[in-house]
Amino acid sequence: MTIEEIIQTKTLPLSRKLTINLLYSANWANDIITEAIKPFDISLQQFNVLRILRGQCNHPANLSTINSRMVAKTSNTTRLVDKLITKGYVERTICPSNRRKVEITITQKGMTILETIDPVVNNAEKKVTHQLNDNELETLNKLLNKLRQ
C-alpha cells in the first residue's frame, strides 16, 4: 500500500511524500517493537538505555552519555534511569573522585532481562524488514545516513 493510499490523498510534493512516509514508517516499526517487548513491562526507551549500558562493557555511564546515544533523544533520561533502578536493572552511584558526578551501570538482573528480550526484539526487527533483501537493506541504510548529513 502506498503512503497516498494510507493517508487517503491524491498527490503530494515529493519531499512531503518522503517526509510523511519516513514518519509513518518509523511509527509503524516503533509500534511493532513496542508491542513485542510489552510482556516484559519495559518501554522501548528503557530498553534502549539498557542496551547503551550493556555496550559500556562494565564501565559506568553518566546521564549525558546515555542521552547522547539514545535513538530518540529525550529530556527525561533521569526518569527512565529512575524507573530502571526501581526495577533493579541499573544502579546509580556517586563517583568517589568527583562527588558531583553520577555513574550509572547495568546490573546482572538488567543483563539477564536483555538476554531474554534480545531474541524477541530480533524477531520484531525481522518482521519490520522481511520485505527487503540484504542489498535493499544496505541501500536503504546508506540513503538514510545520507539524508541526515
Side-chain angles (χ1 to χ4, degrees):
M1 186 176 280
T2 68
I3 195 67
E4 290 92 350
E5 292 168 329
I6 291 168
I7 65 170
Q8 299 180 6
T9 191
K10 294 273 186 228
T11 58
L12 293 169
L14 203 50
S15 61
R16 186 173 306 142
K17 178 179 177 176
L18 174 62
T19 303
I20 291 170
N21 209 342
L22 281 170
L23 293 170
Y24 185 89
S25 298
N27 286 323
W28 169 78
N30 187 49
D31 289 347
I32 289 172
I33 296 171
T34 297
E35 189 63 29
I37 64 175
K38 194 176 190 178
F40 302 99
D41 189 33
I42 192 167
S43 72
L44 193 51
Q45 294 83 6
Q46 291 170 357
F47 178 67
N48 190 202
V49 169
L50 289 175
R51 290 201 303 189
I52 290 165
L53 292 173
R54 176 176 58 188
Q56 289 289 111
C57 301
N58 294 322
H59 297 292
N62 58 40
L63 289 172
S64 177
T65 299
I66 293 170
N67 197 44
S68 70
R69 295 181 184 171
M70 293 286 291
V71 172
K73 309 288 184 228
T74 73
S75 60
N76 64 357
T77 308
T78 301
R79 186 178 60 82
L80 290 171
V81 169
D82 287 345
K83 286 186 175 191
L84 291 169
I85 289 169
T86 300
K87 294 176 182 184
Y89 296 151
V90 303
E91 292 176 336
R92 178 178 30 222
T93 57
I94 304 298
C95 177
S97 62
N98 180 353
R99 297 195 40 80
R100 292 176 292 175
K101 186 176 177 187
V102 176
E103 297 179 331
I104 301 150
T105 54
I106 190 167
T107 64
Q108 185 55 51
K109 185 176 179 182
M111 292 293 282
T112 301
I113 193 68
L114 277 179
E115 290 170 9
T116 304
I117 296 174
D118 280 341
V120 174
V121 171
N122 289 343
N123 286 336
E125 289 169 347
K126 287 176 185 171
K127 184 176 180 180
V128 169
T129 62
H130 79 279
Q131 298 284 6
L132 303 175
N133 64 40
D134 286 349
N135 288 336
E136 291 168 326
L137 290 170
E138 189 64 40
T139 299
L140 183 55
N141 272 301
K142 286 179 182 177
L143 289 170
L144 290 171
N145 289 338
K146 183 177 181 179
L147 189 65
R148 290 189 312 277
Q149 290 178 352

